[in-house]
Amino acid sequence: LKKSEEKLRHILSSTSNDFYVIDKEYKVVLINTSSQANLEIFWNQKINAGDCILNSIPPLLQETIKKNYDRVFTGEKIEYEFSKRVNGELFWRWVSYGPVRDEDGVITGAHITTKDITEKKKSEEEIIKTNARFQIMSKATSDIVWDWDLQENSLWWNDNYYSNLGYNKSKEIVAVEDWYSRIHPDDLERVKTNILDSLAGADSDWRDEYRYRKSDDSYLNFLERGYIMRNNEGKAYRMIG
């Protein structure tokens, strides 16, 4: 347990995220100052090492969060996002639970990390609003239209992508890896190299041809064109195509 604590103390001192550790009796073993401050804001309770975490959780959340702890004590990992209004302002947080193990692999507790993702959510909402306008305009064409947020590495496609390629639309914004994963393996490295070179340079246009996998595992030949948007320093932050 001591070795596990030393490792976790190192994480505690190096992470910029909120971080705390509990043992299997729900006692707080370690907690950093940002986690203390934010839990006091969200739970209205000051939490210190040695406290029983269950005593600080708001009654409406206690059952759910205790179940999460108990699941982690059996070896599960849990991640989710939540939002809460504080003084009228909406905040978004990402939460991750994972088991703490001793040197023999025995689970001795749980570590919980939370991160403020409010700005990321605001950026996604802005993209969705902008893309709603794109969606209206893109209905006038049979082309696949896309918008790549280079800062968040997230991607939006219009409905033509899903109807032409047979994929189900589960959410508006997806990771760019979803796109990369469907490019033909023989074309992938060339496409990645070309696009990264274009983004790193000063060009405002990118163009390439490659094979792309449909939902039925057949391939279409794509001619791709993108317009690169740059900030005042010339750094690419968005590409639309």
Side-chain angles (χ1 to χ4, degrees):
L1 180 59
K2 290 296 181 185
K3 288 186 177 181
S4 296
E5 284 191 19
E6 286 175 13
K7 182 179 179 181
L8 290 166
R9 285 183 194 279
H10 175 71
I11 296 172
L12 194 72
S13 64
S14 61
T15 184
S16 60
N17 298 328
D18 297 357
F19 185 84
Y20 69 92
V21 180
I22 61 170
D23 63 20
K24 295 183 77 172
E25 300 300 318
Y26 311 102
K27 184 179 75 174
V28 178
V29 179
L30 298 168
I31 185 168
N32 65 2
T33 53
S34 64
S35 186
Q36 283 181 309
N38 283 311
L39 284 175
E40 187 171 5
I41 290 171
F42 285 97
W43 290 356
N44 297 315
Q45 288 282 347
K46 179 78 173 179
I47 302 172
N48 297 302
D51 291 346
C52 176
I53 194 74
L54 298 181
N55 294 335
S56 299
I57 302 171
L60 290 176
L61 299 175
Q62 191 172 98
E63 182 179 354
T64 298
I65 293 178
K66 182 179 182 298
K67 283 180 180 178
N68 287 341
Y69 294 148
D70 292 341
R71 286 168 60 191
V72 173
F73 294 155
T74 68
E76 284 191 56
K77 292 182 179 180
I78 301 169
E79 289 186 8
Y80 61 86
E81 298 174 357
F82 75 92
S83 63
K84 180 178 175 65
R85 287 197 178 275
V86 178
N87 297 324
E89 187 175 354
L90 184 65
F91 289 90
W92 280 90
R93 310 284 292 181
W94 166 83
V95 186
S96 172
Y97 299 69
V100 175
R101 300 177 187 271
D102 64 18
E103 57 187 359
D104 297 318
V106 177
I107 294 173
T108 59
H111 62 82
I112 297 87
T113 303
T114 65
K115 181 179 180 181
D116 188 335
I117 57 169
T118 304
E119 290 306 314
K120 176 176 178 289
K121 285 293 184 180
K122 286 180 179 178
S123 176
E124 287 182 357
E125 286 176 9
E126 187 59 35
I127 289 173
I128 290 171
K129 289 177 183 176
T130 301
N131 289 337
R133 295 191 290 270
F134 281 173
Q135 192 70 266
I136 294 170
M137 292 185 292
S138 67
K139 289 184 184 298
T141 177
S142 59
D143 291 345
I144 293 171
V145 179
W146 48 267
D147 185 352
W148 182 0
D149 183 335
L150 297 165
Q151 294 174 310
E152 296 294 340
N153 231 11
S154 59
L155 196 62
W156 169 89
W157 281 295
N158 71 342
D159 289 343
N160 292 336
Y161 173 88
Y162 302 97
S163 60
N164 289 338
L165 300 176
Y167 293 110
N168 293 322
K169 185 177 182 179
S170 58
K171 53 186 177 179
E172 285 287 333
I173 307 295
V174 299
V176 74
E177 287 302 324
D178 284 20
W179 170 51
Y180 282 145
S181 68
R182 291 164 182 160
I183 295 175
H184 194 287
D186 293 342
D187 298 336
L188 179 59
E189 288 308 313
R190 172 180 56 79
V191 172
K192 275 190 172 183
T193 299
N194 288 347
I195 203 164
L196 291 175
D197 287 347
S198 295
L199 295 174
D203 294 340
S204 59
D205 297 296
W206 167 74
R207 186 178 186 276
D208 210 338
E209 296 183 40
Y210 57 89
R211 290 161 289 179
Y212 195 84
R213 190 176 76 249
K214 298 175 62 179
S215 63
D216 63 4
D217 288 333
S218 63
Y219 282 87
L220 285 178
N221 291 315
F222 267 18
L223 170 61
E224 197 85 76
R225 294 183 296 268
Y227 174 70
I228 302 169
M229 303 170 69
R230 300 181 182 276
N231 61 20
N232 293 335
E233 287 75 43
K235 183 179 179 181
Y237 66 90
R238 188 175 182 183
M239 184 157 62
I240 299 170

